Amino acid sequence: MTMTQDGAIGEGTLGIEFCGEWHHPVPGTTFSVGRDADLTVDTNQYLHRRLLAFDAEGDLWWMSNTGQTISVSLATPDGAYQAVLGPGARVPLVFPDLAVMFSAGAYTYELAVRNDSASFTGRDPRAVQHEDDGTTTIGAVSLTPSQRLLLIALCEPILRGGMVGASQLPSSAAAAARLGWPLTTFNRKLDNVCDKLDREGVQGLRGGVGKLATNRRARLVEHAILSRLVTPQDLDLLEVASTLGEKGTR
């Protein structure tokens, strides 16, 4: 851990990467991320002018959500630690590496945060277990093959791009067409996946007043990527399903 003699964090210990470019906040100042900020990620009008703020306090770096309506998802690379940072909340950056995701309108954005002063470490990613009945179990969540295909289709732009910055979220119609499914089938399976994850405690997937379909899909994509429910290695399954005209009958 790099600190000054009075116990404060030294300069250059925190790095924030977006689209291959690294930024290093300076202790004693606040580093902002948003539409019009120290790190401007996009001119998207649905994105807050300043959504995130990074600052050092004592011997810790902190990340704050300074927006009003957008929640921010974060996780360690192995998916073992996950959190959703709502507007007005902040969290200490105690892990060496974090993936940070948030969505505004039809776009999802990804940042990498590296903290050289962190004291905690993550663990090795959990192996994906393939059960005899054809389901996939990751942690406590069991997905049928068609449910997994649905997640892969929604996450395809990010899986192909590889956490590089901004990715456009597919519409339900586009994802259904990618799989060769009727839209009604896709929406039914989307409901089933969201209900299943909601029962596991994943926030932001339950419908209701003020819960737009786009917001639910965005939160599902963020969780699937950060928890490693789907990975780039799964894209081959999508190609096979698309070629065969998979109808999602399971």
Side-chain angles (χ1 to χ4, degrees):
M1 182 178 294
T2 304
M3 294 185 181
T4 61
Q5 290 182 348
D6 60 3
I9 294 175
E11 186 173 342
T13 56
L14 188 71
I16 301 167
E17 185 267 336
F18 180 71
C19 290
E21 184 176 351
W22 284 92
H23 305 261
H24 297 278
V26 177
T29 65
T30 297
F31 183 86
S32 59
V33 177
R35 175 165 51 91
D36 180 16
D38 297 313
L39 169 52
T40 298
V41 299
D42 199 354
T43 57
N44 179 355
Q45 293 297 307
Y46 291 98
L47 181 63
H48 295 307
R49 293 179 62 249
R50 291 175 177 81
L51 173 63
L52 296 176
F54 294 84
D55 57 85
E57 184 177 310
D59 60 353
L60 288 174
W61 281 103
W62 293 78
M63 181 174 72
S64 303
N65 182 343
T66 57
Q68 296 180 337
T69 60
I70 298 175
S71 292
V72 179
S73 300
L74 55 149
T76 52
D78 59 8
Y81 166 81
Q82 294 185 62
V84 177
L85 198 63
R90 72 171 187 163
V91 63
L93 302 177
V94 297
F95 293 99
D97 294 283
L98 282 175
V100 177
M101 298 182 70
F102 51 89
S103 299
Y107 289 87
T108 296
Y109 303 90
E110 309 94 40
L111 306 174
V113 177
R114 181 168 299 164
N115 184 7
D116 292 336
S117 66
S119 55
F120 293 168
T121 58
R123 58 163 174 73
D124 293 333
R126 281 174 285 185
V128 176
Q129 301 174 2
H130 297 277
E131 306 294 347
D132 293 338
D133 63 359
T135 62
T136 298
T137 301
I138 305 177
V141 180
S142 179
L143 300 174
T144 68
S146 62
Q147 288 173 343
R148 192 174 178 209
L149 282 171
L150 180 146
L151 289 179
I152 298 168
L154 285 175
C155 296
E156 183 180 13
I158 296 176
L159 293 175
R160 292 198 184 280
M163 298 291 284
V164 295
S167 302
Q168 187 166 10
L169 182 71
S171 66
S172 293
R178 181 75 170 96
L179 293 166
W181 296 356
L183 181 57
T184 53
T185 298
F186 182 92
N187 286 333
R188 184 179 72 252
K189 292 184 180 295
L190 177 62
D191 287 340
N192 291 339
V193 171
C194 288
D195 288 344
K196 179 178 290 187
L197 293 174
D198 177 75
R199 290 194 297 270
E200 296 294 333
V202 179
Q203 302 175 30
L205 299 180
R206 184 176 292 278
V209 178
K211 298 293 185 180
L212 301 178
T214 300
N215 295 343
R216 185 174 67 157
R217 291 200 313 277
R219 176 66 189 119
L220 180 61
V221 167
E222 292 171 10
H223 176 75
I225 293 292
L226 293 177
S227 64
R228 299 176 63 84
L229 281 174
V230 293
T231 69
Q233 288 69 37
D234 293 321
L235 287 170
D236 288 344
L237 298 175
L238 185 62
E239 296 302 329
V240 171
S242 179
T243 300
L244 296 179
E246 167 67 44
K247 298 301 181 182
T249 56
R250 284 186 62 89

